[in-house]
Amino acid sequence: MDIKNAQLEVDKWIKEHGVRYFNELTNMAQLTEEVGEVARIIARRYGEQSEKESDKNKDLGEELSDVLFVLLCLANQTGVDLQASFDAKMDLKTKRDHDRHHNNNKLH
């Protein structure tokens, strides 16, 4: 599914199951909360912090999907076409960073 269709799917779900979008500030708080859950898994599973027993069964994919869902909600309710924005960002990064990372000795 491309980003445009993902936005449409989220909008359809909100209209059928969610009654309405939470306001933008609530969704921003929700996004922050979901990113925090991703950060907790990454820090404990891949970082130097020890993973608590209660965190060992946490599904990183599920938490990343929560982030994506709220991000799509925010895009929908603020009129952002994420597909167009993402495509433009990839073009910019490709032009700007084409040789930059290859020339970074820290990455070798």
Side-chain angles (χ1 to χ4, degrees):
M1 179 181 297
D2 63 11
I3 298 170
K4 186 70 170 174
N5 284 327
Q7 279 188 254
L8 292 171
E9 187 71 22
V10 166
D11 192 60
K12 179 181 172 190
W13 187 92
I14 292 290
K15 290 173 179 168
E16 291 179 3
H17 304 284
V19 180
R20 65 170 178 82
Y21 287 92
F22 294 133
N23 70 41
E24 295 84 355
L25 289 176
T26 299
N27 273 337
M28 187 63 229
Q30 235 186 337
L31 180 61
T32 303
E33 180 182 333
E34 298 299 349
V35 169
E37 291 177 22
V38 169
R40 181 182 179 97
I41 292 171
I42 296 291
R44 296 180 190 286
R45 196 164 296 162
Y46 303 101
E48 296 175 343
Q49 288 185 314
S50 60
E51 192 169 24
K52 293 182 179 179
E53 199 60 41
S54 61
D55 290 335
K56 288 186 177 178
N57 291 325
K58 301 271 182 174
D59 183 342
L60 179 58
E62 181 180 341
E63 298 305 333
L64 288 169
S65 294
D66 287 341
V67 169
L68 181 59
F69 182 87
V70 179
L71 185 67
L72 292 168
C73 286
L74 281 166
N76 284 348
Q77 65 194 132
T78 58
V80 172
D81 179 343
L82 272 180
Q83 186 70 64
S85 295
F86 183 78
D87 291 345
K89 179 56 71 175
M90 290 304 294
D91 287 343
L92 173 72
K93 289 179 75 58
T94 298
K95 290 173 188 162
R96 182 190 66 201
D97 300 334
H98 177 69
D99 292 323
R100 182 174 149 220
H101 299 298
H102 290 287
N103 296 328
N104 183 349
N105 290 329
K106 294 177 187 178
L107 298 177
H108 294 282

